[in-house]
DNA sequence: CGTTTGGTTGACGAAGCTCAAAGCCGGTGG
DNA sequence: CCACCGGCTTTGAGCTTCGTCAACCAAACG
């Protein structure tokens, strides 16, 4: 999550409603006029775009503490869809109240701006990932990103977690097909880069090995530097 | 360009130096500590990332009026490289002065924040473009985006322009190879979607046809709505 | 003029896609 | 409790798109 605790609290001090949303539901649809921003309290969701031929591309994955759809809300018209992967608990914040908060509290505005800057940095890495890495590298990279993000919000061990996504959804995130994702995961396992007890579980035996294989350097996530350095990542 | 004229002027009222940079030079390198933001006054440049296997991915293309590297500057460490495509005239703005300006002038801060929001929207479209569109569609999409951006800054006709990029660079922007770009351009021409007098020139006979072929809808650029509507795009 | 840079084309190969079938697992209703 | 069902995963066979390698060409430039 790119928001600091104080800013998150300030947002939650705004009048808002808390909503439970079942899995595979669109919270916001591309093209909608948007009047609310959504803060994920629990569960996983993605932002995605549909392309002409019927395909879809997931452009980011979100979890607890992420403010999704601030982008849509501030620009007025949604340029992408927000969809849940799992049942989600979300805070629904009227964009008008958010604006008022940022206008009276420059520190919050800076924090939210910073959030959009990090968001952009992650997008750039994704462009590079889907544009220039081959399939196994691309998938390994995604697994690494997911691992670090999960750990950053204390949702699990970095080296042992459950993917909240089907192979179809992994395919939409990497620009591949579900069938190929399946084969790539099998090969990653065969090559000792991950272990899988169930299809969704990921166990990373050697972080450095997987990160090297996946061409993963965590800088673009702009997570807490000191912490990562202490852990040698 | 995503900045309004007033904000651009406010930036240029800051103490700054104007620099001429020859073509194919890196202005900022990935990993650098960054202390300046750069405003493009003339010429074309790109932002790009290198991946492990030696490849590069262009993540955005910039022209007159674009504030490149605000992202890098505000995050402190460059997560991408900025490189010129042509000789460029650029204003070099100390980030400290920019911060001071935004801290005392909320309207400017909003304008720059808006700029990063639009930047993010374009990144998302690029993820979808390289992730989920086939090569000819992808290239057509890029040609459309370029056409609209050029016209938005009055650098040329929307339907008839010169690409400031080699086919190598087009390949790096689309996640393809130069050879394949060459073939795709040939085929686009053969199919009557574009005409080319010289290798770099692009003449779009029928905008709607190319836009439909390239799965291009301009919303994500967040350009002046009224104007586009009047022109039926 | 030679050299360099970028564009063009052909032949071939590989990565990843499509189609299809089968297995697995959890949930649901009889 | 068991049978069935639907969503997800797995695997195979064949094919397409795009990449690689290599040669040649054209224009620009010193």
């Amino acid at each position: 999550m790119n928001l600091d605790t104080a800013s998150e609290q300030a947002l939650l001090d705004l009048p808002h409603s808390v909503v439970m949303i079942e899995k595979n539901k669109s919270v916001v649809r591309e093209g909608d006029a948007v009047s609310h921003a959504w803060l994920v309290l629990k569960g996983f969701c993605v932002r995605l775009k549909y392309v002409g031929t019927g395909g879809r591309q997931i452009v980011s994955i979100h979890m607890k503490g992420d403010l999704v759809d601030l982008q849509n809300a501030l620009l007025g018209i949604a340029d992408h869809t927000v969809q849940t992967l799992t049942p989600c608990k979300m805070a629904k914040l009227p964009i008008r109240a958010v604006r008022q908060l940022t206008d009276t509290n420059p520190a919050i505005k800076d924090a939210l701006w910073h959030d959009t800057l990090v968001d952009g940095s992650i997008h750039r890495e994704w462009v590079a990932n889907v544009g220039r890495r081959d399939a196994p590298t691309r998938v390994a990279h995604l697994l690494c990103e997911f691992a670090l993000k999960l750990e950053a919000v204390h949702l699990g061990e970095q080296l042992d977690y459950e993917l909240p996504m089907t192979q179809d959804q992994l395919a939409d995130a990497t620009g591949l097909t579900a069938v190929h994702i399946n084969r790539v995961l099998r090969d990653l396992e065969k090559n000792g880069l991950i272990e899988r007890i169930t299809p969704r579980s990921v166990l990373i035996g050697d972080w450095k090995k997987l990160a090297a294989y996946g061409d993963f350097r965590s800088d673009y996530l702009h997570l807490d530097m000191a912490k990562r350095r202490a852990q040698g990542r």
Side-chain angles (χ1 to χ4, degrees), chain A:
Chain A
M1 83 171 170
N2 313 324
L3 276 184
D4 59 281
T5 325
S7 306
E8 189 178 333
Q9 193 50 54
L11 287 172
L12 288 175
D13 288 341
L14 293 176
H16 69 274
S17 49
V18 172
V19 188
M20 287 296 312
I21 298 173
E22 41 186 331
K23 80 170 186 177
N24 295 329
K25 291 292 166 210
S26 295
V27 180
V28 180
R29 283 188 184 76
E30 191 171 344
D32 282 0
V34 175
S35 55
H36 295 267
W38 298 79
L39 178 64
V40 183
L41 300 174
K42 197 171 179 185
F44 295 89
C45 61
V46 295
R47 295 189 285 167
L48 59 88
K49 299 191 72 134
Y50 293 95
V51 301
T53 46
R56 7 181 286 165
Q57 175 69 44
I58 290 173
V59 299
S60 62
I61 305 174
H62 296 281
M63 54 190 74
K64 186 179 77 176
D66 279 341
L67 187 59
V68 293
D69 217 40
L70 180 65
Q71 287 73 19
N72 273 338
L74 289 171
L75 291 170
I77 304 278
D79 58 54
H80 59 269
T81 297
V82 177
Q83 209 165 91
T84 54
L85 292 175
T86 64
C88 280
K89 185 170 153 193
M90 301 183 92
K92 187 178 178 185
L93 305 154
I95 187 64
R96 187 180 287 193
V98 176
R99 266 187 208 280
Q100 211 160 31
L101 176 64
T102 57
D103 283 343
T104 54
N105 189 331
I108 300 287
K109 186 180 281 186
D110 286 346
L112 295 189
W113 187 6
H114 184 265
D115 181 86
T116 56
L117 287 164
V118 174
D119 199 52
S121 172
I122 297 174
H123 285 338
R124 287 189 286 279
E125 184 69 30
W126 277 52
V127 173
N129 202 39
V130 295
R132 275 284 178 249
R133 295 194 181 108
D134 64 16
T137 313
R138 210 183 288 182
V139 172
H141 191 278
L142 186 68
L143 294 180
C144 287
E145 174 173 320
F146 209 79
L148 271 203
K149 286 183 86 168
L150 275 180
E151 208 214 23
V153 294
H154 314 294
L155 273 179
E157 301 293 321
Q158 176 197 344
L159 301 175
D160 181 7
Y161 62 88
E162 290 288 316
L163 279 169
M165 314 171 76
T166 65
Q167 294 181 0
D168 244 311
Q169 291 160 343
L170 284 173
D172 285 337
T174 48
L176 300 166
T177 57
V179 171
H180 202 57
I181 287 284
N182 187 287
R183 299 193 221 269
V184 165
L185 287 174
R186 195 223 304 130
D187 294 348
L188 287 178
E189 182 161 30
K190 201 173 63 191
N191 294 325
L193 290 159
I194 58 171
E195 285 172 58
R196 300 186 302 157
I197 313 301
T198 69
R200 306 275 190 102
S201 73
V202 176
L203 201 164
I204 302 171
D206 182 341
W207 172 265
K208 283 191 178 160
K209 199 167 147 196
L210 184 65
Y213 185 86
D215 191 25
F216 182 82
R217 278 142 291 138
S218 62
D219 316 68
Y220 73 96
L221 291 172
H222 295 277
L223 295 170
D224 177 340
M225 292 290 184
K227 183 176 171 193
R228 286 205 330 280
R229 227 177 284 118
Q231 302 178 342
R233 287 168 209 149

